[in-house]
């Protein structure tokens, strides 16, 4: 495939969205009547050769439409990358209208999101979403740092490919309704690999694994990538199948012009295109006088133009009609063609036979019992394809594997489902980075840098040791050892240690008086239960020290600067069924916490603190309503623990006020948000515009004389999901109070 690659991200979109191209057209009910050729004693064997080309490959569907219209018999098919996808689907008996039905609901967003829906992930993985992480996970193994083998692994893509292929399981490609070949490239020796047998979905995935965008496919010890590198227009594969006449469809992208070679992305893309163009030219030179070349005119169409598939697909039709006279010579009588197509469009009954055993292959670190927990497919039950595909995504979503697939085995009458879960070659330890920024454009600017190191699978029960270092407005170092008590992970114990230094502003009404510096050190021991995908419950104890001092300014009341001893029992129930943390569109969340500071545990201040909050989100099309409310209170102490009071204020927390402007012992709040998705994105969550109505009441304020009644506020904002995280630009106004502009990089609520 000689395709245009502007950036690595465009390559990823181009190739992960390839199956979308098949949904662009359906064949018309009627077709033009071609000229009937002169009968011959023996009909020549006609082979269709389909090149790769990203979104440009939608034109293949238009060509197929014209070939059927002119009743051109197709006796064999050879394809590379996108051509292998269209070719394999057609060769296995899938009609163009059926492809259209299968692909009607597919989006590039769906193809990129290889993890299961967030609501189905474990709470431990969901918790990471509340950290300001960005970029890929970096693997740590034997002291070496490495990245994954591709932007995506192809787990979700394989789900789509299985839908496209009507024939499941291992097949001899010569015995398909239309004999078929697919071409990939051996990344180790650089040679072309022509598939003559295998499972169609796996073969299609191997043929389109663009290096760097889609992780290589593993076959019989080979590491396979896109066939475009060696044979993007596989005419030689068609010749080897005995083709007398080749109909070659080339949808590759021409080389970039000099003024288009801007930036490293353009240069790298051009290098790849040059390699591809060389083998395409060799294939074109091998064409014979009787062969037919169809080259759709795709000026201005890039490999990543997946939003315009319906416009691209018909472009194959005029290109095919330009050679209509030559196609007409290959036409066969209507009755003969109808009989041929009837044989090629076989009816396939899904194989839903139960399996007797589920087997997990080649696991070295991960306990198979822990993987089995994530599967809804059970031995003895009929196979549900949608459920099984979701099982694969759910296993991949645990974060322990670089690729997940499955196959069926027969052993002495026993039907076995073998799950090939490939453990991360760059793990199991990992490193992630995060960044958070905020500003009210009036002097308050906060920033935090985060580095998180996670050591996984320390033992067979799946123990993890996680350490987070944060630098910036809040400096902290925290470490927790998470030890499941069973292989299923239903119960766990988690000791931890935490150090933090932060500053908090103190306001008298809207006037900033001072900032308080607070240093905290504590150790914790929690016993918990994972409530499957719904959430988690933790019960524990903590001990530590806290010290508060005035950092800047002066206060009209004394501040206890003595070191205070902490000792408390605590409990937290967290339930999370939001589909997204950044821009939720459906779901709900509930968070309940309780702390009892007890002198029996060494605490200087005995008190009780509780807090409860909830979010409910629902969407109508692109319109989303997000409602939240909560409350908290501190009781049981004659002297309020100033180091553990509630704080509120800032963007979407009484917009217009400064961040943390309200401090006190009793908090109640409510918020109603509306946001509209302005644009979609293939990888990220799109762009939004919205408004909010907010109210809150802080009773028993820390600063005597501050407001303790209900305060109302509103905001307007625009926001977008970006490679660095959600980004907001907003304006807030409190009723009869201050207003402010806000910028946020990170989650503000």
């Amino acid at each position: 495939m000689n395709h245009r690659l502007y950036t690595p991200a465009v390559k990823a979109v181009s190739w992960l969205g390839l199956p979308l191209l098949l949904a662009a057209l359906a064949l018309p009910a009627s077709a033009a009547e071609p000229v009937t050729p002169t009968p011959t004693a023996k009909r020549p064997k006609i082979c269709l050769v389909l090149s790769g080309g990203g979104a440009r490959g939608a034109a293949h569907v238009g060509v197929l439409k014209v070939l059927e219209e002119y009743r051109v018999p197709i006796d064999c098919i050879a394809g590379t990358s996108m051509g292998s996808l269209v070719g394999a689907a057609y060769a296995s008996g899938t009609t163009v209208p059926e492809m259209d039905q299968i692909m009607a609901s597919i989006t590039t967003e769906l193809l990129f999101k290889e993890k299961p829906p967030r609501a189905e992930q474990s709470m431990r993985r969901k918790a990471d979403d509340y950290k300001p992480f960005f970029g890929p996970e970096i693997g740590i193994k034997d002291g070496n740092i490495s990245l994954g083998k591709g932007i995506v692994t192809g787990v979700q893509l394989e789900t789509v490919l299985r839908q496209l292929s009507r024939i499941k399981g291992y097949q001899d490609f010569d015995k398909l309704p239309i004999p078929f070949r697919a071409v990939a490239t051996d990344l180790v020796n650089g040679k072309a690999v022509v598939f003559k047998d295998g499972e169609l979905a796996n073969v299609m995935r191997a043929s389109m694994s663009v290096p760097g965008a889609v992780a290589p496919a593993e076959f019989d010890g080979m590491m396979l990538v896109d066939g475009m590198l060696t044979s993007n227009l596989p005419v030689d594969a068609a010749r080897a199948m005995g083709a007398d006449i080749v109909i070659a469809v080339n949808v590759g992208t021409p080389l970039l012009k000099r003024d288009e070679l801007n930036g490293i992305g353009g240069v790298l893309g051009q290098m790849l295109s040059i390699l591809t163009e060389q083998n395409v030219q060799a294939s074109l030179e091998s064409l014979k006088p009787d062969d037919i070349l169809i080259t759709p005119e795709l000026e201005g169409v890039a490999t990543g133009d997946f939003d315009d598939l319906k416009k691209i697909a018909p472009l194959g039709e005029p290109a095919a009609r330009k050679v209509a006279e030559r196609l007409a010579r290959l036409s066969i009588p209507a009755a003969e063609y109808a009989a041929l197509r009837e044989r090629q469009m076989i009816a396939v009954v899904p194989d839903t036979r139960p399996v007797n055993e589920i087997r997990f292959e080649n696991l070295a670190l991960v306990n198979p019992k822990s993987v089995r927990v994530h599967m809804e497919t059970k031995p003895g039950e009929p196979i549900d394809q949608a459920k099984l595909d979701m099982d694969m995504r759910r296993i991949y979503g645990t974060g322990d594997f670089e690729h997940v697939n499955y196959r069926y085995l027969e052993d002495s009458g026993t039907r076995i489902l073998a799950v090939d879960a490939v453990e991360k070659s760059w793990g199991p330890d990992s490193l992630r980075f995060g960044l958070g920024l905020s500003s009210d454009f009036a002097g308050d600017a906060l920033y935090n840098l985060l580095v998180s190191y996670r050591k996984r699978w320390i033992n067979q029960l799946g123990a993890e040791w996680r350490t987070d270092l944060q630098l910036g407005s809040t400096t902290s170092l925290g470490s927790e050892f998470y030890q499941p008590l069973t292989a299923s992970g239903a119960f766990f114990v988690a000791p931890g240690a935490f150090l933090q230094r932060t500053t908090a502003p103190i306001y008298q009404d809207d006037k900033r008086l001072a900032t308080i510096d607070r240093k905290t050190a504590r150790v914790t021991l929690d016993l918990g239960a994972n409530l499957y995908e719904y959430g988690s419950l933790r019960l524990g104890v903590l001990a530590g020290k806290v010290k508060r001092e005035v950092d800047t300014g002066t206060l009209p009341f004394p501040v206890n600067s003595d070191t205070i001893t902490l000792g408390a029992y605590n409990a937290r129930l967290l339930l999370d069924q939001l589909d997204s943390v950044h821009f939720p569109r459906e779901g709900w969340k509930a968070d309940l916490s309780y702390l009892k500071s007890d002198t029996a545990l060494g605490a200087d201040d005995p008190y009780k603190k509780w807090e409860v909050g909830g979010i409910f989100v629902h969407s109508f099309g692109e319109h989303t309503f997000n409602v939240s409310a909560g409350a908290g209170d501190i009781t049981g102490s004659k002297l309020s623990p100033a180091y553990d009071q509630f704080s509120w204020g800032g963007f979407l927390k009484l917009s217009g006020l400064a961040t943390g402007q309200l401090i006190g012992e009793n908090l109640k709040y409510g918020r109603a948000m509306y946001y509209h998705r302005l644009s979609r994105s293939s990888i990220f969550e799109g762009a939004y515009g919205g408004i909010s109505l907010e109210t809150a009441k802080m009773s028993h304020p820390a600063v005597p004389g501050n407001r303790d009644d209900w305060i109302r506020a509103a905001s307007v904002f625009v926001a977008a999901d970006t490679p660095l995280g959600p980004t907001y630009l907003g304006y807030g106004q409190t009723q009869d109070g201050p207003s402010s502009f806000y910028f946020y990089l990170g989650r503000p609520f």
Side-chain angles (χ1 to χ4, degrees), residues 706-717:
N706 274 357
R707 292 182 61 176
D708 61 358
D709 58 343
W710 285 98
I711 303 174
R712 296 173 179 83
S715 76
V716 295
F717 60 85

Side-chain angles (χ1 to χ4, degrees), residues 131-151:
K131 299 284 187 178
F133 291 128
F134 67 87
E137 180 182 82
I138 299 174
I140 307 292
K141 186 174 183 179
D142 299 327
N144 297 317
I145 296 178
S146 60
L147 295 173
K149 298 174 183 176
I151 296 176

Side-chain angles (χ1 to χ4, degrees), residues 600-682:
L601 295 178
D604 289 340
D605 297 325
Y607 66 93
K608 300 174 183 178
K609 178 180 180 181
W610 62 266
E611 187 174 5
V612 60
I615 299 174
F616 177 78
V617 185
H618 185 63
S619 294
F620 301 90
E622 303 295 353
H623 306 276
T624 300
F625 295 89
N626 182 324
V627 180
S628 63
D633 191 27
I634 299 175
T635 60
S637 174
K638 295 181 180 179
L639 181 64
S640 173
Y643 52 86
D644 199 18
Q645 293 181 326
F646 299 101
S647 68
W648 202 253
F651 183 47
L652 301 179
K653 296 180 177 180
L654 290 182
S655 301
L657 298 184
T659 301
Q661 183 170 331
L662 303 181
I663 302 176
E665 297 179 22
N666 183 281
L667 170 67
K668 301 180 183 70
Y669 68 88
R671 178 181 62 233
M673 297 172 62
Y674 162 79
Y675 39 92
H676 175 73
R677 183 153 59 180
L678 303 175
S679 66
R680 293 175 176 267
S681 171
S682 298

